[in-house]
């Protein structure tokens, strides 16, 4: 067998999490002797200044800090990012002002609650950053074979390259091939829901607010975009989603208008739409000898709180820190005991978020006569408790994780 490359770390998957991992590792000067090679089965992402990507993420302050530390946050903001200052949550059976909950960044002395950032923009700036730090990136390249032994892990790609590494990092998303190849069991929580995403313009200004209405079939969110439009994430049962994807535009708008309760007035479609399956899942373990999972390959959660990417970027920051510390101490960075430090740090937090969102999803799915009024009282009660709101906002920022020294290079 002809081994053509000898990188020390191979990353499978060039989604935002894998790319962030590559850039973080390579950016550390102490890590100079470590070569990083990343490959992805898809095409090179292209961000367009005149067209907002359909896939957007609500990024938290901790994600912003990770990206700032890498030196890419300003490029993201210069290109296009929309800060949101408030989040307004209410439930479907009621008017948006009744039994609602508003989070306002001013209440915790912050300028905003986070930013809405496009997938292609995030990936493009991370690719540029990783390449500048010397990462080799190959697109349209799949994983063919993995062979792990005590000394190295060997990977054969669909392009016939054989790569030898000290560690294989799997960031290949929720259907992770690496996880399957390694035989790591995964527990799925099926929701029988899909999320429809599209961009809309609205009669009333979004007022830098993320609007979220909990409907019996799932939450409907309007995330504020820089151009005044909103990104819609409409989670609904699979059958309803299928119907919504098939009906003509005017009917779709009528349905969306109705589902929104008219909170932003008349709606017009500004893009095509796409739909994504919704599930929660978690791998039984995040690492083995010389192999480690992160991002959606390790865990997926319901998108109702927009936290999946934030958890994945935090995974990348923690794993980078663990590997860099191990390298400094001249430890074998692929040793199971080293990789377990990352798992111990991240698994608990990720599972806590997964089960909290699962519980929220189930709570808003309970039907019956009194359930809506109890939920409504609950939302109003939390709204009237500044301390509770502040705690929830700080949790969403990821402050607990940040205080644990894990946000590597925060400015
Ligand atoms: C509707 C919806 C809305 C969401 N909104 C938010 C939000 O607002 N905020 C938030 O934080 N999170 C959000 N999320 C969650 C977020 O999308 C995911 O957590 C995030 O995309 C995970 O990133 P990743 O890099 O781990 O995986 P992915 O983005 O799935 O990337 C995986 C990459 O691996 C590549 N790949 C796959 N298989 C192979 C292979 N065999 N070989 C090589 N490459 C491979 C793929 O091409 C892909 O590029 C949302 C999710 C959904 C469904």
């Amino acid at each position: 067998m002809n081994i053509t490359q000898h990188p020390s770390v191979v990353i499978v998957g060039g989604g935002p999490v894998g790319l962030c991992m590559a850039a973080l590792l390579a950016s550390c000067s102490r890590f100079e002797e470590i070569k990083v090679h990343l490959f992805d089965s898809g095409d090179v992402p292209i961000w367009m200044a005149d067209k907002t990507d359909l896939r957007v993420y609500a990024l938290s302050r901790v994600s912003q800090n990770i990206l700032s530390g890498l030196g890419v946050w300003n490029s993201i903001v210069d290109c296009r990012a929309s800060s949101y200052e408030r989040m307004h949550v209410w439930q479907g059976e009621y008017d948006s002002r009744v039994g609602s909950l508003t989070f306002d960044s001013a209440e915790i002395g912050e300028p905003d609650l986070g930013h809405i950032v496009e997938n292609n923009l995030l990936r493009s700036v991370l690719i540029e950053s990783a390449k500048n730090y010397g990462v080799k990136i190959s697109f349209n390249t799949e994983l063919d074979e993995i062979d792990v032994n005590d000394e190295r892990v060997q990977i054969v790609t669909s392009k016939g390259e054989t790569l030898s590494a000290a560690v294989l990092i799997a960031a290949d998303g929720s259907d992770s091939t690496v996880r399957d190849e390694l035989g790591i069991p995964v527990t799925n929580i099926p929701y029988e829901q899909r999320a429809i995403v599209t961009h809309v313009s609205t009669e009333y200004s979004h007022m830098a607010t993320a609007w979220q209405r909990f409907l019996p079939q799932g939450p409907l969110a309007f995330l504020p975009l820089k151009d005044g439009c909103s990104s819609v994430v409409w989670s609904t049962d699979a059958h309803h989603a299928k119907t919504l994807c098939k009906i003509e535009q005017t009917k779709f708008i009528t349905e969306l208008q109705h589902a929104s309760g008219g909170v932003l007035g008349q709606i017009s479609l500004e893009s095509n739409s796409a739909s994504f399956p919704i599930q929660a899942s978690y791998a039984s373990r995040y690492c083995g000898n010389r192999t480690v999972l992160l991002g959606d390959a390790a865990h997926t959660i319901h998108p109702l709180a927009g936290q999946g990417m934030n958890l994945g970027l935090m995974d990348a920051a923690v794993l980078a820190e663990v590997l860099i510390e191990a390298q400094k101490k001249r430890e074998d960075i692929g040793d199971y005991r080293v990789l377990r430090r990352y798992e111990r740090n991240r698994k608990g937090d990720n599972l806590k978020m997964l089960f909290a969102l699962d519980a929220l999803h189930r709570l808003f799915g309970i039907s019956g006569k009194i359930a809506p009024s109890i939920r409504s009282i609950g939302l109003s009660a939390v709204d009237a408790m500044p301390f509770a709101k502040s705690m929830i906002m700080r949790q969403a920022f990821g402050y607990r994780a940040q205080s644990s020294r894990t946000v590597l290079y925060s400015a």
Side-chain angles (χ1 to χ4, degrees):
M1 192 180 292
N2 190 15
I3 297 177
T4 52
Q5 308 275 346
H6 299 273
S8 289
V9 174
V10 167
I11 301 173
V12 184
V17 174
L19 287 166
C20 183
M21 181 73 226
L24 281 171
L25 270 185
S27 69
C28 182
S29 56
R30 291 186 297 272
F31 230 52
E32 265 165 2
E33 65 266 48
I34 301 289
K35 288 193 173 60
V36 182
H37 186 153
L38 176 149
F39 64 89
D40 190 283
S41 53
D43 294 330
V44 182
I46 296 170
W47 177 73
M48 286 184 274
D50 58 351
K51 193 172 172 227
T52 310
D53 189 2
L54 210 46
R55 285 301 303 270
V56 298
Y57 306 112
L59 295 188
S60 69
R61 183 74 75 250
V62 167
S63 294
Q64 177 184 338
N65 288 348
I66 293 168
L67 297 166
S68 289
L70 261 177
V72 299
W73 182 252
N74 287 345
S75 315
I76 291 174
V77 173
D78 288 348
C79 288
R80 195 161 48 216
S82 169
S83 64
Y84 61 102
E85 292 157 22
R86 283 165 295 277
M87 184 172 201
H88 186 77
V89 180
W90 77 108
Q91 61 164 335
E93 290 84 353
Y94 295 93
D95 182 80
S96 67
R97 285 153 301 187
V98 180
S100 63
L101 174 56
T102 303
F103 297 105
D104 192 328
S105 59
E107 288 175 35
I108 50 168
E110 292 282 345
D112 54 66
L113 291 175
H115 288 76
I116 310 298
V117 174
E118 293 157 64
N119 175 57
N120 279 350
L121 173 58
L122 182 58
R123 291 181 74 202
S124 299
V125 297
L126 285 170
I127 288 171
E128 203 184 320
S129 165
K131 280 188 171 167
N132 285 341
Y133 288 120
V135 176
K136 183 176 178 208
I137 304 183
S138 319
F139 284 95
N140 303 114
T141 308
E142 284 194 40
L143 176 77
D144 265 6
E145 269 176 56
I146 308 172
D147 180 26
V148 189
N149 62 44
D150 285 348
E151 305 293 316
R152 305 289 285 174
V153 51
Q154 216 151 275
I155 301 109
V156 181
T157 74
S158 56
K159 292 204 172 141
E161 274 180 314
T162 300
L163 310 170
S164 170
V167 192
L168 168 65
I169 298 177
D172 53 345
S174 54
D175 295 327
S176 172
T177 311
V178 177
R179 191 185 60 212
D180 292 350
E181 289 273 321
L182 296 173
I184 299 178
V186 61
T187 304
N188 285 302
I189 305 175
Y191 289 128
E192 310 295 343
Q193 281 188 330
R194 291 188 76 83
I196 298 170
V197 297
T198 188
H199 291 174
V200 297
S201 52
T202 53
E203 185 183 0
Y204 310 138
S205 161
H206 53 51
M207 296 187 295
T209 301
W211 302 86
Q212 176 136 302
R213 186 181 198 195
F214 280 93
L215 294 155
Q217 288 154 317
L220 166 65
F222 288 76
L223 307 176
L225 297 175
K226 184 106 179 161
D227 60 3
C229 290
S230 296
S231 168
V232 169
V233 183
W234 190 356
S235 306
T236 188
D237 70 59
H239 178 70
H240 186 217
K242 206 170 158 191
T243 310
L244 288 172
C245 290
K246 274 200 258 171
I247 57 179
E248 54 185 60
Q249 260 194 20
T250 46
K251 278 193 178 156
F252 178 83
I253 295 172
T254 309
E255 291 258 351
L256 181 57
Q257 187 79 48
H258 177 70
S260 75
V263 72
L264 292 175
Q266 290 299 319
I267 292 170
S268 309
L269 280 187
E270 295 295 332
S271 72
N272 55 344
S273 57
S275 90
F276 300 89
I278 294 180
Q279 57 164 11
S281 64
Y282 53 96
S284 65
R285 55 188 168 86
Y286 285 8
C287 57
N289 204 28
R290 307 209 170 278
T291 50
V292 59
L293 313 179
L294 79 167
D296 273 21
H299 47 78
T300 56
I301 56 174
H302 198 291
L304 68 87
Q307 286 295 333
M309 179 62 70
N310 293 310
L311 296 184
L313 294 178
M314 197 61 205
D315 288 352
V318 172
L319 181 57
E321 183 175 274
V322 164
L323 297 183
I324 288 162
E325 287 294 314
Q327 172 71 8
K328 267 202 300 192
K329 292 186 212 150
R330 297 286 153 210
E331 292 175 311
D332 176 355
I333 59 168
D335 191 295
Y336 177 67
R337 286 163 297 186
V338 170
L339 301 176
R340 267 282 289 155
R341 291 173 200 154
Y342 150 76
E343 178 177 90
R344 276 201 301 272
N345 186 309
R346 292 302 300 146
K347 204 174 175 190
D349 277 1
N350 290 337
L351 282 176
K352 233 188 274 169
M353 181 67 81
L354 185 148
F355 287 117
L357 297 182
D358 184 59
L360 209 54
H361 162 74
R362 285 172 203 283
L363 178 69
F364 279 94
I366 297 171
S367 52
K369 276 194 180 141
I370 57 162
S373 34
I374 291 174
R375 284 192 295 259
S376 180
I377 292 166
L379 286 175
S380 303
V382 176
D383 200 48
M385 288 190 277
F387 178 70
K389 283 208 290 183
S390 163
M391 256 178 38
I392 296 170
M393 280 189 269
R394 286 176 191 282
Q395 182 75 29
F397 267 3
Y399 274 168
R400 195 205 74 77
Q402 189 167 27
S403 66
S404 73
R405 199 172 67 89
T406 47
V407 179
L408 280 182
Y409 318 97
S410 295

